[in-house]
Amino acid sequence: MELSILSLRVRALSVLRGLQRHPFVSSYLAVFDALKTDDADFARAYGALCAQIFACGDVSRAMLDAVHFDVNTMTDTLDAPSATLLGAATHDIQALNALLALDGNTLKSAAAGVYRMPALRDLPDYPAAAPLPFRDGAALASFYRAQGYGFFAQASAFAVQDDGTVAPIRHPDAIRLRDLPGYERQKQQILKNTRAFLDGREANNILLYGDKGTGKSSTVKAVVNEYAERGLKIIEMSPRHIACFPRIFADTLRSPFRFIVFLDDLSFSREDDNFAALKAFIEGGLAGKPSNLVIYATSNRRHLIRETFADREGDEVRVRDSLETVTSLSDRFGLEITFSVPDKDEYLYIVDQLAAENGLALSGEQLHLLAERFALRRNGRSPRTARQFISQQLAEQYEK
């Protein structure tokens, strides 16, 4: 394909129009434009293109990601794209694959033919890149249906920033349910609700409450990791960012994925405006909550408003109304799952499981004795205490 024709085809991207702003594509367009001016302009544009390619590493992967994360006319009509739209998408894919097929020698040869300067051949070289894994619009539509699309295709875990934007977490906690022995009943309740949610059936928001160190947060993250391949995403949100809920709802509403908004360590003071806001977002707000989003929250307390005896003995005339306000938020979670401190037997069971998984070479009697001593020093039994105990024992074995 002649470079002038390829330049026109790339500029005529219609379905994947947003890719014209991709650094790789725009660098190529700058080189094509420089072929119409002079050799110095071409050398500068070609050098910038090489720098872009060398910095990118895998150009084919970068272009595939750009297509994957795009939102376009195809994604908006993915259920039944028209034949015309599929044809336009085929044009775009062919144009992008033609760019990927270019190598440095091809461009330098074209420039040498225009400027008649053999010195241009001394410019750096680079190889052609692999084509995209789809060759036409129908294959692109199948890719989007199977893999999803848009911003949230970038990762399985995201976090709300202080400015209200959502950013992908590049290296999320990889914990799995097999790493969390014990609390089987609680885990099964969460799994059952999550599977219903993924299947498009009615699912509840969940409040996981109980003692510190019992694995509430770890369980939520592990459940998401279990179902990430089914398109389950988690958005971690600090309670101070609750005012960002409308923006999160808008961002996720048209996404093909399903989302757990994760509120960790939830509690409020009586004067906290976020308390009323969260109640409205969970249930009762005019806008409603997207059907592809549920809220999983953890707290060390079931009553999410911190209160004192003075609050209960205050001078309010309607004391009952005041007390009902305290429980009104937790009551809006369809599932309340308790994680209490394990008794001795359950604690030692967790220790046994973790020791076996990590290959800790201690007799059962010695393991239990040391684990109990460690729990006494650490102010009580909990799954967190068990994991810390195993880590300490592994470190001591390593030193020996």
Side-chain angles (χ1 to χ4, degrees):
M1 183 183 298
E2 292 184 11
L3 296 184
S4 58
I5 296 176
L6 177 56
S7 175
L8 288 174
R9 294 199 68 182
V10 173
R11 295 174 197 277
L13 295 179
S14 56
V15 177
L16 300 173
R17 188 169 183 80
L19 269 69
Q20 289 177 341
R21 297 187 295 274
H22 190 276
F24 172 71
V25 176
S26 59
S27 293
Y28 258 113
L29 292 177
V31 170
F32 294 154
D33 289 339
L35 282 170
K36 304 172 187 176
T37 54
D38 58 44
D39 56 339
D41 283 345
F42 173 81
R44 281 191 291 269
Y46 181 83
L49 172 62
C50 289
Q52 184 66 45
I53 291 172
F54 298 152
C56 178
D58 187 344
V59 174
S60 182
R61 179 74 239 184
M63 288 298 294
L64 176 59
D65 286 345
V67 175
H68 191 185
F69 306 154
D70 194 35
V71 176
N72 50 58
T73 313
M74 172 77 78
T75 62
D76 289 342
T77 60
L78 198 53
D79 290 340
S82 67
T84 302
L85 180 61
L86 293 174
T90 298
H91 162 275
D92 293 356
I93 293 165
Q94 290 175 346
L96 293 174
N97 277 335
L99 279 186
L100 292 169
L102 288 177
D103 57 28
N105 275 328
T106 300
L107 287 177
K108 291 190 293 182
S109 295
V114 172
Y115 305 122
R116 311 295 179 187
M117 293 185 64
L120 290 173
R121 294 186 177 274
D122 294 331
L123 294 175
D125 197 10
Y126 66 88
L132 296 170
F134 27 77
R135 301 301 179 92
D136 56 35
L140 176 60
S142 296
F143 173 83
Y144 280 143
R145 292 188 191 104
Q147 302 294 329
Y149 54 84
F151 173 80
F152 291 107
Q154 297 183 59
S156 61
F158 300 81
V160 178
Q161 309 298 297
D162 285 337
D163 63 356
T165 60
V166 177
I169 300 174
R170 297 302 180 187
H171 303 286
D173 189 344
I175 193 166
R176 303 299 289 264
L177 289 174
R178 62 177 176 268
D179 302 322
L180 300 170
Y183 297 90
E184 294 303 325
R185 179 182 60 80
Q186 291 89 334
K187 287 189 289 190
Q188 287 306 314
Q189 285 181 283
I190 300 168
L191 285 170
K192 184 177 180 180
N193 189 75
T194 305
R195 285 193 293 264
F197 175 57
L198 287 171
D199 291 340
R201 294 184 282 116
E202 287 295 321
N204 281 309
N205 301 308
I206 300 179
L207 174 63
L208 299 80
Y209 70 92
D211 299 286
K212 62 181 181 180
T214 49
K216 301 181 295 295
S217 302
S218 295
T219 299
V220 174
K221 291 183 284 187
V223 166
V224 173
N225 290 335
E226 293 294 325
Y227 295 112
E229 291 185 358
R230 290 188 59 182
L232 182 60
K233 311 289 182 179
I234 186 170
I235 302 175
E236 186 173 21
M237 174 187 286
S238 168
R240 71 177 185 275
H241 294 142
I242 284 173
C244 301
F245 257 119
R247 180 171 181 172
I248 303 301
F249 289 176
D251 290 343
T252 59
L253 182 60
R254 295 176 59 197
S255 175
F257 302 106
R258 293 197 162 257
F259 299 88
I260 291 175
V261 172
F262 178 42
L263 294 165
D264 197 19
D265 197 17
L266 196 60
S267 66
F268 301 95
S269 66
R270 282 181 173 272
E271 295 77 23
D272 197 333
D273 292 338
N274 287 325
F275 178 80
L278 182 56
K279 283 203 302 182
F281 295 141
I282 292 178
E283 180 185 341
L286 289 176
K289 180 170 63 64
S291 60
N292 64 338
L293 183 150
V294 291
I295 299 170
Y296 286 7
T298 70
S299 179
N300 291 340
R301 60 180 74 226
R302 180 183 181 274
H303 296 167
L304 299 174
I305 290 183
R306 294 185 293 272
E307 59 175 344
T308 65
F309 283 111
D311 294 327
R312 293 191 173 223
E313 297 170 0
D315 57 0
E316 285 196 47
V317 175
R318 306 293 183 186
V319 176
R320 182 179 178 84
D321 289 347
S322 179
L323 294 179
E324 286 182 351
T325 299
V326 172
T327 62
S328 60
L329 177 55
S330 56
D331 288 345
R332 296 196 181 199
F333 287 89
L335 273 178
E336 297 178 10
I337 301 176
T338 307
F339 283 69
S340 56
V341 169
D343 59 21
K344 179 179 178 179
D345 289 341
E346 188 170 12
Y347 169 68
L348 293 178
Y349 167 79
I350 294 171
V351 169
D352 288 340
Q353 295 299 307
L354 293 174
E357 289 176 12
N358 290 278
L360 186 59
L362 285 174
S363 68
E365 183 178 351
Q366 185 182 15
L367 181 68
H368 290 179
L369 178 62
L370 293 173
E372 280 286 88
R373 287 179 180 174
F374 188 85
L376 287 172
R377 292 198 302 270
R378 297 294 297 178
N379 212 15
R381 304 182 185 102
S382 73
R384 180 184 297 163
T385 300
R387 287 192 295 273
Q388 291 170 344
F389 165 69
I390 295 298
S391 296
Q392 182 195 57
Q393 292 302 311
L394 290 171
E396 290 180 0
Q397 281 196 358
Y398 175 77
E399 289 294 328
K400 292 178 181 178

